[in-house]
């Protein structure tokens, strides 16, 4: 990854960068999981106004912006394109297990030309696990293409719970604008899926 915020990274700003032609992904945030000490928790970071493109040139599963065990981050106004996998991925706990990924904001991002027909089980924005208070709002996603299954604009995978998805524009996707694997207590409102 071009930039990584690891264990215990809080209240950082990653803004206005151009990250291009990378072996894997662009920006990664990952800290201590739910049972780890508080000192290892990563969160309250701002990732904004970055331009990430031509990603995954060696390790194709690299994500534009990857937030794993992290909370209260704002991922806003980034432009992500020309990648072989997912644009933005938030969460790292499958099913309904306890998760650190809470109260994240994914807003106003432009994601396009991701997937590029190479990998499956992916989306423009990918969510995973219990994520109360998380909001996915006002993003524009288009030209999302998987190899086989997948290729959704917004993809809430296993156990995605407590997420509000609103006012997004999604078009030209291989498999659909929105896909919920299994989850509960999500709100999907006022989006355009074309």
């Amino acid at each position: 990854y071009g930039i990584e915020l690891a264990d215990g990274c809080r209240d950082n700003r990653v803004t206005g960068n151009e990250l291009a032609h990378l072996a894997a992904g662009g920006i990664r945030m990952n800290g201590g999981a739910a049972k780890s000490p508080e000192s290892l928790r990563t969160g309250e970071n701002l990732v904004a106004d970055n331009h990430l493109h031509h990603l995954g040139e060696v390790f194709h599963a690299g994500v534009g912006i990857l937030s794993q065990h992290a909370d209260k981050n704002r991922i806003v106004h980034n432009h992500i394109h020309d990648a072989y996998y997912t644009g933005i991925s938030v969460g790292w706990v499958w099913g309904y297990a306890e998760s650190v990924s809470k109260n994240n904001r994914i807003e106003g991002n432009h994601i396009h030309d991701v997937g590029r027909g190479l990998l499956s089980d992916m989306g423009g924005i990918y969510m995973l696990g219990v994520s109360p208070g998380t909001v996915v709002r006002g993003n524009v996603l288009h030209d999302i293409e998987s190899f086989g299954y997948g290729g959704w604009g917004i993809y809430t995978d296993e156990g995605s719970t407590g997420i509000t998805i609103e006012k997004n524009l999604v078009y030209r996707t291989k498999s659909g604008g929105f896909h919920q694997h299994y989850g509960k207590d999500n709100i999907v409102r006022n989006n355009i899926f074309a």
Side-chain angles (χ1 to χ4, degrees):
Y1 279 76
I3 296 172
E4 181 172 8
L5 301 178
D7 290 350
C9 288
R10 298 196 76 82
D11 198 27
N12 296 287
R13 272 92 183 116
V14 179
T15 62
N17 300 286
E18 181 171 3
L19 301 170
H21 298 286
L22 297 176
I27 300 168
R28 179 180 182 219
M29 294 179 282
N30 186 29
K35 295 182 181 179
S36 68
E38 287 287 327
S39 62
L40 298 179
R41 299 287 173 85
T42 294
E44 298 177 322
N45 298 299
L46 173 66
V47 178
D49 301 305
N50 298 289
H51 185 195
L52 297 89
H53 58 95
H54 295 92
L55 307 172
E57 293 190 340
V58 177
F59 302 100
H60 302 311
V63 175
I65 299 172
L66 174 60
S67 176
Q68 294 170 286
H69 300 289
D71 69 334
K72 300 177 188 167
N73 296 295
R74 290 180 296 143
I75 301 170
V76 298
H77 306 127
N78 298 285
H79 184 193
I80 303 168
H81 61 93
D82 290 293
Y84 292 104
Y85 196 51
T86 293
I88 295 173
S89 178
V90 176
W92 203 251
V93 176
W94 282 260
Y96 297 117
E98 187 179 356
S99 173
V100 174
S101 296
K102 301 174 183 175
N103 299 307
N104 289 297
R105 297 282 184 268
I106 302 99
E107 298 178 310
N109 299 285
H110 183 195
I111 301 169
H112 62 93
D113 295 291
V114 298
R116 302 173 76 182
L118 184 66
L119 300 173
S120 299
D121 195 27
M122 50 77 61
I125 295 176
Y126 174 89
M127 310 298 295
L128 180 63
V130 177
S131 304
T134 293
V135 175
V136 178
R137 176 188 296 131
N139 301 283
V140 177
L141 303 101
H142 60 92
D143 297 288
I144 314 296
E145 184 181 359
S146 62
F147 172 75
Y149 76 98
W152 295 291
I154 300 172
Y155 176 14
T156 47
D157 202 358
E158 298 186 30
S160 293
T161 296
I163 303 167
T164 299
I165 298 166
E166 63 183 2
K167 300 179 182 176
N168 298 285
L169 171 61
V170 183
Y171 60 97
R172 283 199 307 261
T173 61
K174 179 175 181 182
S175 302
F178 172 78
H179 177 75
Q180 173 75 60
H181 186 164
Y182 67 82
K184 58 185 180 178
D185 303 324
N186 295 311
I187 299 170
V188 180
R189 65 182 172 205
N190 298 324
N191 298 281
I192 297 173
F193 300 127

